[in-house]
Amino acid sequence: MFPRRQAAAPFPTADENDPNFPRGVPILPLHSLGERIAILGPSNAGKSTLAVALSKKLGIPAVHLDQLHHLPCTDWQPRPEAEFAALHDAAIHEERWIIEGSYSRLMPQRLARATGVIVITSNHWLRFLRYLKRTLANQPDRAGHLQGAKDSIKCGMVYWILLKTGNSGVKYAKVLQEFGLPTVQCHTATALNNLYRIWDLPVGR
C-alpha cells in the first residue's frame, strides 16, 4: 500500500455548453498536472501522440514505454524484464517527464513519482481500426514508433485490443485511488480531441 496524497482542490469545469464534457465534470488546467505526467490507457488509444503534443507544448521530454520495453531494429522483440525495469526506473527518477504506457507491473513506482495523470480510453473497435491503419502505413516517424522496426499485424495484439482491454478504465480507476493524484480522464475519441482544443495542444501523428 502506498501513502495516499492529499486530493487536489476543485478546478473549474469545462464549457457547460459542450456536450462532450457533462455538466459539473472538472477538467483540470494543464499546469495543475505538474512536470511529471503519466499517461495511461489501452493500446492504440492515442497515448503516444498525446505525449508528443504535451512534450512540444511544455518543453518536457516524452518517454514511450513501448520503446523501452522492446529492442530496436527488431519486430518488437521484448527486452529482458530486468533490463526493461532498470530503464523504466531510471526514466521515472528524472525531474521532468511525460511517460506514456501502462505496464501495470511497474505502475506503482511510476505513480509514486508522478505529479499528475491522464487516462485515455476509447471504443475497442476504434482502437482496432487505428492499429490496422498505423500498422499498414508503417510510418517510421509516427509517435512511439520503435527505431528500425517494421510494423506487422500480430494476432496477439488483435486479441489484446479486442478482448483483453475492454474494461481498462475500471482497472485504472482502482489503481489511481491509491495515490490521489490530479487526474484528467477522456473516455471517448471526441473528448480527447476536445482536450487538445482546451489545452491548445499541437496536433500531429
Side-chain angles (χ1 to χ4, degrees):
M1 181 72 68
F2 290 84
R4 184 184 297 273
R5 297 186 185 182
Q6 185 175 359
F11 290 90
T13 60
D15 181 4
E16 293 186 346
N17 295 321
D18 191 332
N20 300 308
F21 289 106
R23 181 182 299 271
V25 174
I27 302 301
L28 307 187
L30 179 53
H31 66 79
S32 70
L33 300 183
E35 296 189 323
R36 292 191 297 275
I37 302 173
I39 304 177
L40 308 178
S43 299
N44 294 272
K47 300 185 302 297
S48 297
T49 303
L50 178 60
V52 171
L54 289 170
S55 176
K56 292 177 179 178
K57 174 78 173 182
L58 301 174
I60 298 175
V63 178
H64 306 281
L65 290 184
D66 278 346
Q67 292 178 341
L68 300 187
H69 184 245
H70 298 90
L71 293 167
C73 301
T74 68
D75 189 14
W76 296 89
Q77 176 183 341
R79 296 178 186 271
E81 181 63 22
E83 183 179 338
F84 170 49
L87 291 171
H88 171 276
D89 289 351
I92 66 174
H93 280 93
E94 295 293 330
E95 286 303 311
R96 304 167 75 236
W97 45 256
I98 298 165
I99 296 182
E100 64 87 7
S102 295
Y103 294 94
S104 57
R105 60 193 180 277
L106 300 177
M107 200 180 294
Q109 57 262 49
R110 193 182 329 138
L111 294 182
R113 283 281 295 159
T115 55
V117 180
I118 303 171
V119 178
I120 57 176
T121 62
S122 60
N123 179 274
H124 60 286
W125 287 111
L126 176 59
R127 292 190 287 109
F128 176 61
L129 291 176
R130 286 176 177 168
Y131 171 66
L132 293 180
K133 180 179 178 180
R134 84 173 195 184
T135 302
L136 295 174
N138 195 41
Q139 296 171 319
D141 60 341
R142 73 167 174 83
H145 185 72
L146 183 65
Q147 178 185 353
K150 183 176 181 179
D151 288 335
S152 60
I153 296 174
K154 297 175 175 59
C155 293
M157 180 59 73
V158 173
Y159 174 78
W160 183 259
I161 294 171
L162 294 181
L163 298 177
K164 292 292 288 184
T165 56
N167 64 343
S168 54
V170 175
K171 178 186 72 174
Y172 298 131
K174 290 180 179 179
V175 173
L176 290 170
Q177 286 178 356
E178 297 292 331
F179 296 89
L181 290 166
T183 302
V184 171
Q185 300 191 51
C186 294
H187 295 300
T188 66
T190 302
L192 180 58
N193 289 338
N194 228 7
L195 198 66
Y196 273 78
R197 177 179 60 80
I198 290 173
W199 286 350
D200 191 25
L201 299 177
V203 178
R205 59 186 175 192

